[in-house]
């Protein structure tokens, strides 16, 4: 997102000079090493504890005899819904066939993303039933809000992905809204997107819609959907999540198996215990995907927040959660799969100072840890209950800074700048030297939100807060939105498929 101009002939924030921000990239290729907080011996202890959880305590698999039977056939034992796994079984299944890195294809191939390795893909927030804006306050989300956030993500160069359930459009029936959400990602963006996971039938609908866009053979042989599969921590999976996982794995689509843990309630309070439990849960889901279809792409997800021991509410941006992110990323690299974690997390209800520092803490930790798929990068408010319009563009600005940091230090001849030092010499300034003139447009990141003018200029411009400037920016972006081209025949097929499917069963807001 672009840098605003000055007042007096000032251009709108959405029309700012492209040269002020880094050139658009389909994803971040990190040139900095991941920061690790433990030794190899320490990681081995956590891995051994995860195997002990699987072997001695086990995982409950609710209402899904098919999955239990698959695990038993592979060597596990079952006592009703409690499944126990021999030491190393899940790890071996994953390492035998799961890819370390894979491509998720987008409708516009220039927006394909590489997930894994030294790559980081930044993705909007996911799952909020409410939206918040300075103008409208907090309210239930609608399909129009959903479309707006898809458009904002499409226009944000710092976000590489369209996301999934960016917000819940509660004005549509629960059992049919997935059609409109998937269609919105396809219609209003040409970036990669996520499928529905709230019922196996909705996962099948997502795959069918993807096949209309990409072609049946292409989808069966390439990843075009990444799909979020949450464990019901502690140590439980249900038939809804595993049913959706099996649908996607059968079609060779990526599943992101993510234990959802509020430490202290859904796990012990310590970092090492959270890491071991999360790894155990994640390996069960990922190994099931390999039993369904060896080689199906998987991502190990790790969503962890700490808990206020006074109120019981989740807390974000804490040092303990940062340690879990770093530990989980290293465990994923050792396992040999991509890693999902971090994001612009905050418990704040509005985009204030608390929101800023909590979000910055988790975004930066995610980059330093080596996160590959950063869901919840932009928009998250109120512990995930609300999607914020102003917060979205503020987070997108922070995301662009992550990309600059990830490039590392430029040690080229230009980066060393010895010519500038020789030209200027002692006791002078560098403002007019040749090197500065060549580099001044791209030398430093220029925020789309921050005001760095003098107090007098800031006052003349209206003495606006960051939230007010963000409000101006998101409104200008939506006003200037132009949709990407979509083949009319494909569009017509999608609309017909949705109309036919919606007409085939009654509306329901139960499930």
């Amino acid at each position: 997102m672009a840098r605003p101009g000055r007042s007096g002939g000032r251009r709108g924030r959405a029309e700012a000079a492209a040269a002020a921000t880094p050139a658009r990239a389909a994803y971040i290729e990190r040139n900095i090493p991941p920061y690790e907080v433990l030794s190899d011996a320490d990681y081995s202890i956590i891995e051994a504890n995860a195997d002990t959880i699987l072997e001695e305590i086990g995982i409950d698999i609710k209402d899904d005899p098919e999955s239990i039977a698959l695990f038993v056939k592979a060597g596990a034992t079952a006592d009703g819904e409690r499944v126990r796994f021999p030491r190393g079984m899940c790890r071996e299944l994953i390492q035998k066939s799961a890819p370390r890195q894979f491509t998720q294809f987008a409708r516009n191939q220039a927006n394909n993303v590489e997930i894994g390795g030294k790559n980081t893909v930044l993705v909007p927030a996911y799952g909020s039933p409410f939206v918040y804006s300075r103008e409208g306050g907090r309210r239930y989300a609608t399909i129009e809000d959903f479309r707006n956030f898809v458009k904002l993500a499409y226009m944000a160069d710092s976000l590489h992905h369209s996301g999934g359930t960016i917000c819940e459009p509660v004005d549509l029936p629960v059992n049919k809204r997935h059609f409109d959400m998937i269609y919105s990602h396809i219609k209003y963006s040409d970036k990669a997107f996520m499928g529905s996971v709230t019922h196996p039938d909705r996962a099948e609908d997502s795959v069918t819609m993807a096949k209309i866009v990409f072609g049946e053979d292409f989808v069966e042989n390439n990843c075009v959907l990444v799909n979020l599969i949450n464990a019901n921590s502690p140590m439980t999976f249900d038939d809804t999540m595993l049913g959706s996982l099996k649908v996607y794995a059968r079609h060779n689509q990526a599943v992101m198996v993510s234990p959802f843990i509020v430490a202290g309630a859904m796990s012990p309070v310590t970092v090492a215990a959270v890491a071991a439990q999360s790894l155990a849960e994640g390996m069960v889901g990922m190994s099931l995907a390999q039993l369904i279809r060896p080689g199906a792409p998987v991502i190990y997800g790790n969503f962890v927040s700490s808990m206020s021991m006074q109120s019981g509410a989740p807390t974000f941006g804490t040092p303990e959660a940062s340690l879990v992110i770093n530990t989980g990323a290293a465990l994923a690299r050792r396992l040999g799969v991509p890693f999902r974690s971090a994001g612009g997390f905050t418990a704040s209800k509005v985009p204030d100072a608390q929101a800023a520092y909590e979000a910055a803490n988790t975004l930066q930790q995610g980059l330093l840890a080596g996160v590959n798929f950063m869901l919840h990068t932009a928009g998250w408010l109120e512990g995930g209950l609300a999607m914020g319009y102003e917060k979205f563009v503020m987070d997108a600005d922070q995301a662009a800074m992550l990309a600059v940091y990830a490039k590392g230090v430029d040690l080229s001849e230009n980066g060393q700048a010895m010519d500038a030092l020789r030209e200027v010499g002692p006791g002078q300034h560098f403002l007019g030297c040749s090197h500065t003139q060549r580099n001044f447009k791209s030398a430093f990141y220029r925020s789309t939100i921050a005001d760095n003018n003098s107090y007098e200029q800031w006052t003349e411009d209206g003495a606006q807060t960051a939230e007010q400037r963000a409000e101006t920016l998101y409104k200008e972006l939506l006003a200037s939105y132009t949709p990407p081209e979509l083949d009319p025949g494909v569009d017509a097929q999608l609309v017909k498929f949705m109309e036919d499917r919606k007409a085939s069963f009654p509306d329901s807001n139960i499930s």
Side-chain angles (χ1 to χ4, degrees):
M1 293 180 179
R3 168 77 178 179
R6 294 287 297 272
S7 63
R10 178 173 54 183
R11 290 174 291 177
R13 289 181 176 270
E15 299 175 354
T21 56
R24 184 191 177 284
Y27 51 91
I28 293 173
E29 297 181 74
R30 297 189 309 275
N31 291 321
I32 56 173
Y35 177 71
E36 298 196 8
V37 296
L38 295 174
S39 68
D40 286 343
D42 295 329
Y43 293 127
S44 295
I45 291 172
I46 294 172
E47 290 167 339
N49 289 345
D51 275 341
T52 298
I53 292 169
L54 295 175
E55 181 183 42
E56 296 181 10
I57 302 170
I59 302 290
D60 280 356
I61 297 179
K62 301 290 189 181
D63 304 315
D64 190 352
E66 180 191 23
S67 293
I68 294 174
L70 286 168
F71 281 128
V72 169
K73 184 178 179 181
T77 60
D79 180 8
E81 294 183 327
R82 179 68 56 87
V83 182
R84 293 179 175 85
F85 305 83
R87 299 188 74 84
M89 170 185 159
C90 291
R91 178 176 296 274
E92 182 180 349
L93 286 169
I94 295 163
Q95 292 181 331
K96 183 178 179 180
S97 57
R100 299 186 71 92
Q101 180 175 321
F102 63 91
T103 303
Q104 184 186 2
F105 288 86
R107 187 162 71 79
N108 177 356
Q109 301 270 309
N111 291 328
N112 294 350
V113 291
E114 284 292 315
I115 300 174
K118 294 184 177 181
N119 307 309
T120 295
V121 178
L122 302 181
V123 189
Y126 183 112
S128 303
F130 298 98
V131 296
Y132 171 86
S133 67
R134 182 173 174 271
E135 180 178 56
R138 181 183 187 265
R139 56 179 173 76
Y140 279 109
T142 66
I143 189 60
E144 188 60 30
D145 292 309
F146 189 96
R147 293 168 184 150
N148 284 342
F149 282 115
V150 169
K151 293 173 184 178
L152 290 173
Y154 168 66
M155 299 176 78
D157 287 348
S158 60
L159 299 178
H160 313 117
H161 204 278
S162 194
T165 306
I166 300 186
C167 59
E168 284 280 357
V170 299
D171 55 335
L172 299 178
V174 169
N175 65 337
K176 296 182 180 179
R177 64 180 60 156
H178 65 287
F179 294 110
D180 298 86
M181 290 191 283
I182 296 296
Y183 179 72
S184 295
H185 283 300
I186 296 168
K187 176 76 171 178
Y188 301 109
S189 177
D190 59 9
K191 294 182 179 180
F193 60 95
M194 302 172 70
S196 176
V197 296
T198 52
H199 192 281
D201 289 347
R202 295 166 202 166
E204 288 283 7
D205 289 332
S206 301
V207 172
T208 299
M209 293 177 75
K211 287 182 175 180
I212 292 172
V213 175
F214 293 94
E216 183 165 353
D217 289 343
F218 189 88
V219 169
E220 289 296 329
N221 292 287
N222 298 278
C223 175
V224 301
L225 295 168
V226 166
N227 310 282
L228 177 60
I229 306 297
N230 285 128
N232 289 348
S233 303
M235 296 167 284
T236 303
F237 281 92
D238 63 36
D239 60 325
T240 297
M241 287 286 99
L242 293 186
S244 294
L245 179 151
K246 288 182 284 189
V247 168
Y248 286 119
R250 288 187 182 109
H251 291 288
N252 197 40
Q253 301 308 299
V255 291
M256 183 162 56
V257 184
S258 296
F260 189 107
I261 293 176
V262 178
M266 299 150 75
S267 75
V269 297
T270 60
V271 170
V274 171
Q277 179 187 318
S278 178
L279 180 62
E281 294 171 0
M283 286 198 298
V284 168
M286 290 185 287
S287 60
L288 178 60
Q290 299 312 300
L291 290 174
I292 294 292
R293 180 165 173 169
V298 295
I299 301 170
Y300 169 42
N302 184 309
F303 180 95
V304 175
S305 71
S306 49
M307 184 178 74
S308 168
M309 302 309 286
Q310 287 73 42
S311 69
T315 55
F316 298 92
T318 61
E320 295 84 5
S322 293
L323 288 168
V324 173
I325 291 170
N326 282 89
T327 303
L331 292 170
R333 286 191 291 272
R334 290 164 63 93
L335 183 60
V337 295
F339 182 60
R340 166 258 161 147
S341 194
F345 296 138
T346 182
S348 183
K349 290 39 173 195
V350 296
D352 59 4
Q354 178 186 344
Y357 66 68
E358 288 179 347
N361 282 351
T362 46
L363 288 169
Q364 292 166 9
Q365 282 299 320
L367 181 73
L368 293 174
V371 168
N372 300 118
F373 194 92
M374 198 182 296
L375 191 62
H376 307 307
T377 295
W380 177 285
L381 281 173
E382 199 185 339
L385 287 176
M387 188 74 169
Y389 277 90
E390 290 85 5
K391 178 71 158 40
F392 191 94
V393 294
M394 294 166 85
D395 288 336
D397 183 46
Q398 289 289 310
M401 296 187 198
L402 297 184
V404 175
Y405 188 87
K407 289 182 178 179
V409 177
D410 177 11
L411 285 174
S412 68
E413 184 175 341
N414 183 70
Q416 295 177 56
M418 292 303 297
D419 58 327
L421 293 162
R422 292 188 179 99
E423 177 184 340
V424 174
Q428 304 299 314
H429 67 74
F430 288 81
L431 292 175
C433 79
S434 300
H435 185 272
T436 301
Q437 293 300 306
R438 290 196 309 270
N439 289 277
F440 78 94
K441 289 185 178 180
S442 59
F444 307 113
Y445 178 77
R446 297 174 64 189
S447 171
T448 59
I449 301 297
D451 183 283
N452 299 305
N453 294 325
S454 66
Y455 180 85
E456 292 75 16
Q457 183 66 55
W458 174 72
T459 303
E460 182 184 332
D461 289 347
Q464 290 191 334
T465 64
E467 184 181 12
Q468 290 172 308
R469 294 190 294 272
E471 179 185 27
T472 298
L473 176 56
Y474 91 72
K475 288 181 176 179
E476 288 184 349
L477 286 165
L478 289 176
S480 65
Y481 167 81
T482 301
E485 183 178 350
L486 176 62
D487 182 275
V490 169
D491 196 1
Q493 289 182 64
L494 288 168
V495 171
K496 185 177 188 311
F497 170 76
M498 291 191 296
E499 290 175 346
D500 291 347
R501 283 284 290 133
K502 287 180 180 181
S504 69
F505 55 94
D507 294 358
S508 173
N509 283 316
I510 302 301
S511 62

